[in-house]
Amino acid sequence: MNKNLKRLINILNDGQYHSGSSLGNKLNITRTAVWKFINQLKDYGLSIDTIKTKGYCLQQPLILLNARNIAPPCPIKIFDSITSTNDYVKTVKKSPFICLAEQQTAGRGRLGRNWYSPFGLNIYLSCLWDFNKDISELSGLSLITGLATIKTLTAYTKDLKIKWPNDILYKDKKLAGILVEINAETHGSSQAIIGIGLNVNMPGAINRAPTWISLMDIVKKPQDRNKLTSKLINQLWNYLNKFEKHGLKSFLSEWEKYDYLKNKKIKLMHGEKSIGGEACGINDQGHLLVKHRNGNVVAYSSGDTSIMGDRKGRPYD
Ligand code: BTN
């Protein structure tokens, strides 16, 4: 990011009004240049109040992501803005590698959905990780990424569940989502792109969509994204290393503790088909077990789940 833009943000972070000329003096740039930077921040979606007689005021402090404060265990790249961190990581040659962005312009969710990714508020993280495993052994990867995310978040709140395969929920509302993409390589190895989107300081996430929530909504104050990202990466590292050595089996009891669907009547959209039944946990490949009316239990490897009888319909997108 442009150094002057960074300095401008630092000045505005005091929450006071600053006139264009005083900002220009402090940064040693013209008022027009200040105005352009202010417009850039507004284009990023930041809320800047402008009063002719007083100047500009940033409504919510903005602490940018900083690799030094995150101190990752591998190379990292932080973008101000990118289409999708998952897409960037796909172009990287050497694993492991972490990519973060302040904003995604084409953030992707599961099943072709968009992932809302406003500037400077949340965490958009992708990790490139090579496995000496066949693609068939990685079916639990997105589940353990969800567990690593929950483990990180339990320092902030205990009321968390995972909705299979990997939606992190706080009291039925979506706090984080995971998008894992895997490329099969030669000789039984695979390359995984592990994407995590976590709503951190998004104000009014509840208003934007009543079924979304951010960490700030839960703990009632903005959170330090650098600290949180650092914790998240560390947990992800622990979970990926354990998964590499011991597979999904070693996480099954942890999954059970956070399983949102367990013993609930659910609807599973599996391709074009809508399947009803009772969720009864996962098998050791991470497939969802559904008990049908005739008593048969069937394992499903993919799909979109919702709780039946929820009058509001699907809990969220
Ligand atoms: C979902 O719940 O549907 C999955 C959301 C995954 C979003 C993350 S944000 C970082 C990474 N980059 C993307 O484009 N998507 C994932």
Side-chain angles (χ1 to χ4, degrees):
M1 176 177 288
N2 179 293
K3 269 198 188 131
N4 279 330
L5 183 55
K6 262 190 193 165
R7 289 175 60 207
L8 176 70
I9 292 171
N10 283 338
I11 298 171
L12 290 174
N13 267 344
D14 65 2
Q16 304 296 314
Y17 282 87
H18 296 266
S19 69
S21 54
S22 80
L23 289 170
N25 287 340
K26 282 184 185 141
L27 300 175
N28 206 13
I29 56 175
T30 63
R31 275 173 55 193
T32 315
V34 170
W35 178 78
K36 279 189 183 155
F37 281 142
I38 294 282
N39 279 345
Q40 191 173 338
L41 295 178
K42 284 184 179 168
D43 284 348
Y44 281 147
L46 297 179
S47 178
I48 296 180
D49 196 33
T50 310
I51 298 181
K52 240 191 179 163
T53 50
K54 290 166 94 181
Y56 308 106
C57 170
L58 189 58
Q59 299 292 294
Q60 187 180 330
L62 175 65
I63 312 296
L64 295 169
L65 294 171
N66 181 332
R68 250 180 291 148
N69 297 345
I70 295 169
C74 70
I76 187 167
K77 180 137 179 90
I78 304 177
F79 288 93
D80 296 339
S81 181
I82 192 152
T83 50
S84 151
T85 52
N86 263 32
D87 290 350
Y88 176 77
V89 149
K90 279 182 195 160
T91 68
V92 172
K93 298 278 175 291
K94 208 165 162 354
S95 133
F97 187 92
I98 299 266
C99 174
L100 293 166
E102 294 288 5
Q103 175 194 46
Q104 295 185 118
T105 53
R108 293 187 290 110
R110 285 179 65 239
L111 308 170
R113 296 190 186 121
N114 296 327
W115 187 254
Y116 181 56
S117 311
F119 185 90
L121 297 176
N122 299 325
I123 294 174
Y124 318 115
L125 178 152
S126 296
C127 170
L128 179 72
W129 191 278
D130 284 347
F131 285 94
N132 275 327
K133 285 180 190 284
D134 186 75
I135 195 163
S136 59
E137 294 171 81
L138 297 183
S139 53
L141 180 57
S142 66
L143 278 57
I144 68 106
T145 303
L147 290 176
T149 309
I150 288 224
K151 181 84 177 175
T152 310
L153 292 169
T154 47
Y156 301 80
T157 173
K158 300 278 174 267
D159 239 327
L160 297 168
K161 294 275 177 204
I162 305 191
K163 187 172 81 75
W164 184 90
N166 47 24
D167 291 333
I168 311 299
L169 304 184
Y170 171 84
K171 296 187 176 162
D172 300 338
K173 292 183 174 163
K174 185 152 171 171
L175 176 60
I178 286 144
L179 177 67
V180 169
E181 299 174 282
I182 299 173
N183 295 321
E185 309 264 279
T186 46
H187 311 301
S189 61
S190 311
Q191 183 188 58
I193 289 117
I194 301 157
I196 304 175
L198 170 58
N199 302 331
V200 185
N201 293 329
M202 195 155 65
I206 297 173
N207 298 338
R208 202 191 76 80
T211 49
W212 278 46
I213 198 156
S214 75
L215 199 53
M216 183 174 80
D217 295 328
I218 299 168
V219 296
K220 310 289 180 228
K221 59 175 195 238
Q223 292 303 311
D224 178 338
R225 287 181 306 140
N226 286 306
K227 219 194 247 173
L228 182 54
T229 304
S230 174
K231 287 183 184 166
L232 181 59
I233 293 172
N234 278 329
Q235 285 305 345
L236 187 61
W237 235 243
N238 296 339
Y239 278 67
L240 288 173
N241 281 311
K242 185 171 164 193
F243 178 71
E244 206 159 35
K245 282 199 195 107
H246 307 292
L248 179 64
K249 271 190 195 148
S250 54
F251 295 95
L252 289 178
S253 60
E254 195 175 339
W255 175 271
E256 213 166 308
K257 200 167 141 197
Y258 295 108
D259 187 350
Y260 174 77
L261 297 177
K262 184 99 193 247
N263 300 332
K264 290 189 178 142
K265 296 262 182 298
I266 63 154
K267 188 172 93 179
L268 171 76
M269 289 305 297
H270 186 65
E272 293 292 287
K273 262 201 206 152
S274 166
I275 294 153
E278 186 185 323
C280 7
I282 56 171
N283 65 14
D284 55 16
Q285 272 119 59
H287 299 169
L288 180 70
L289 298 172
V290 180
K291 189 174 180 181
H292 294 292
R293 229 192 274 165
N294 61 9
N296 286 349
V297 176
V298 179
Y300 294 93
S301 62
S302 63
D304 201 24
T305 50
S306 54
I307 306 284
M308 290 246 263
D310 178 352
R311 271 184 287 130
K312 289 190 274 332
R314 290 158 38 123
Y316 47 76
D317 286 315

